[in-house]
């Protein structure tokens, strides 16, 4: 009925506890992570109200909230510690990550024409487009900083997030339209995958766009132990370029744009391109897609 449940399972497969979120309405879980203290952080969206221990948290209707993005903090034993929300008329929860200082980084999308008050700033009039939000909170839910990309008419896809050992933040998404990031304009007429890099303090560092003639969407972003940022891309384009440059990746073999291939683009922590890998089999047969999450 639209409820969302967190389940903790032992290494042997036994269910240790479950936590059901919904008090009234419905809820989703988008991402989950564990901090250095063993606390569990859950990111998702809900309508009406969710349970926070013995209390409930309703959607804040002062911002015309029909749905809200939430963060729920649970102890290792499944006890709810606290929760906080970001309410707006239309919301999609994205990815959640924990840095080495146990701060919580969340991503999501806000859309519609409602207003949202965040950090004392009123934001709104999204021109019926999906706008990207990146925010950093302390372990106890205090807002540290946020980046709200209100680019009129631009549409982003559901974002993912990862952090490196220095607590820099990497966000993978896709964009139709244009935005300016780190004094660089990113423009796409169809969905193009985008990788954004922030410092721990929220300063824009660098960005890359994976450009093709068809729709290409970021599936996930991850940081490897040797210090490389990898963007996973689900692409329909036969030819892919980084930042619309001349070098072409995935060029020269048979491709059907009706099917999806998957690719990895790897960069070092300064944004320098390192390697590319692609897989998929598009022979016109049903089921020949390759999709990564």
């Amino acid at each position: 009925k639209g409820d969302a449940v967190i389940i903790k399972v032992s290494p042997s497969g036994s269910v240790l506890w479950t936590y059901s979120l919904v008090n009234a309405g419905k809820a989703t879980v988008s991402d989950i992570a564990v901090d250095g203290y063993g606390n569990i952080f859950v990111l998702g969206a809900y309508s009406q109200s969710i349970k926070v221990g013995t209390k409930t948290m309703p959607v804040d209707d002062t911002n015309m909230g029909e749905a809200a993005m939430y963060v729920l903090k649970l102890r290792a034993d499944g006890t709810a510690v606290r929760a906080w929300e970001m309410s707006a008329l239309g919301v999609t929860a994205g990815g959640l990550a924990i840095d080495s200082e146990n701060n919580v980084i969340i991503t999501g999308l806000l859309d519609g024409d409602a207003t949202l008050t965040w950090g004392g700033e009123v934001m709104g009039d999204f021109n019926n487009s999906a706008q990207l939000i990146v925010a950093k909170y302390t372990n106890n839910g205090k807002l540290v900083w946020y980046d709200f990309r209100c680019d009129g008419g631009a549409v982003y896809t559901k974002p993912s997030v990862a952090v490196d050992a220095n607590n820099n933040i990497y966000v993978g998404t896709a964009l139709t339209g244009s935005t300016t990031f780190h004094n660089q304009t990113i423009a796409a007429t169809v969905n193009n995958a985008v990788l954004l890099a922030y410092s721990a303090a929220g300063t824009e560092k660098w960005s890359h766009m994976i450009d093709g003639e068809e729709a290409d969407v970021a599936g996930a972003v991850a940081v490897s132990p040797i210090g490389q940022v990898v963007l996973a891309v689900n692409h329909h384009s036969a030819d892919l370029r980084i930042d619309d440059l001349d070098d072409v990746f995935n060029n020269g073999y048979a491709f059907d744009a009706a099917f999806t291939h998957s690719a990895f683009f790897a960069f070092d922590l300064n944004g320098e391109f390192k390697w590319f890998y692609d897989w998929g089999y598009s022979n016109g047969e049903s089921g020949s897609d390759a999709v990564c999450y």
Side-chain angles (χ1 to χ4, degrees), residues 168-194:
N168 297 303
I169 297 164
Y170 307 92
V171 176
T173 182
L175 170 69
T176 301
S178 64
T179 188
T180 300
F181 188 86
H182 195 235
N183 300 318
Q184 176 184 356
T185 298
I186 305 170
T189 56
V190 296
N191 268 343
N192 286 334
V194 175

Side-chain angles (χ1 to χ4, degrees), residues 189-190 192 211-216 236-241 255 257:
T189 56
V190 296
N192 286 334
D211 183 24
E213 68 276 11
E214 305 289 344
D216 310 305
H236 291 270
S237 298
D239 297 333
L240 296 170
R241 291 176 171 85
F255 193 91

Side-chain angles (χ1 to χ4, degrees), residues 4-218:
V5 179
I6 297 98
I7 304 170
K8 184 174 182 178
V9 182
S10 73
S12 64
S14 300
V15 175
L16 301 178
W17 52 258
T18 64
Y19 189 95
S20 177
L21 272 81
V22 167
N23 176 66
K26 58 185 179 179
T28 62
V29 170
S30 178
D31 207 353
I32 191 168
V34 180
D35 71 7
Y37 303 113
N39 298 308
I40 301 151
F41 288 85
V42 183
L43 174 67
Y46 75 106
S47 65
Q48 296 188 45
S49 64
I50 58 174
K51 293 178 287 188
V52 186
T54 59
K55 300 179 180 179
T56 60
M57 184 173 74
V59 169
D60 180 5
D61 289 328
T62 60
N63 288 318
M64 299 172 59
E66 290 186 352
M69 192 161 59
Y70 71 86
V71 177
L72 174 68
K73 179 180 180 180
L74 302 168
R75 293 195 182 99
D77 63 1
T79 304
V81 179
R82 59 178 46 84
W84 59 94
E85 68 155 353
M86 295 68 68
S87 61
L89 181 63
V91 62
T92 300
L96 178 148
I98 309 291
D99 69 16
S100 66
E101 297 178 346
N102 294 301
N103 296 303
V104 181
I105 297 94
I106 67 165
T107 64
L109 302 175
L110 303 173
D111 57 46
D113 294 318
T115 59
L116 169 69
T117 302
W118 209 343
E121 181 181 359
V122 177
M123 298 170 286
D125 191 13
F126 308 149
N127 297 318
N128 293 314
S129 55
Q131 301 301 312
L132 177 68
I133 187 79
V134 182
K136 180 177 180 177
Y137 290 89
T138 67
N139 196 266
N140 291 319
K142 181 180 179 181
L143 181 64
V144 179
W145 58 261
Y146 67 89
D147 182 31
F148 178 62
R149 311 207 63 77
C150 187
D151 308 303
V155 177
Y156 293 85
T157 61
K158 182 178 178 179
S160 57
V161 63
V163 296
D164 66 20
N166 296 316
N167 296 328
N168 297 303
I169 297 164
Y170 307 92
V171 176
T173 182
L175 170 69
T176 301
S178 64
T179 188
T180 300
F181 188 86
H182 195 235
N183 300 318
Q184 176 184 356
T185 298
I186 305 170
T189 56
V190 296
N191 268 343
N192 286 334
V194 175
L195 177 61
L196 307 175
Y198 298 85
S199 71
T203 304
E204 299 174 356
K205 295 189 67 176
W206 52 264
S207 66
H208 287 301
M209 181 176 72
I210 309 302
D211 183 24
E213 68 276 11
E214 305 289 344
D216 310 305
V217 178

Side-chain angles (χ1 to χ4, degrees), residues 266-277:
F267 305 87
D268 67 18
L269 301 185
N270 294 316
E272 181 181 348
F273 172 70
K274 303 300 292 185
W275 54 266
F276 161 83
Y277 182 80

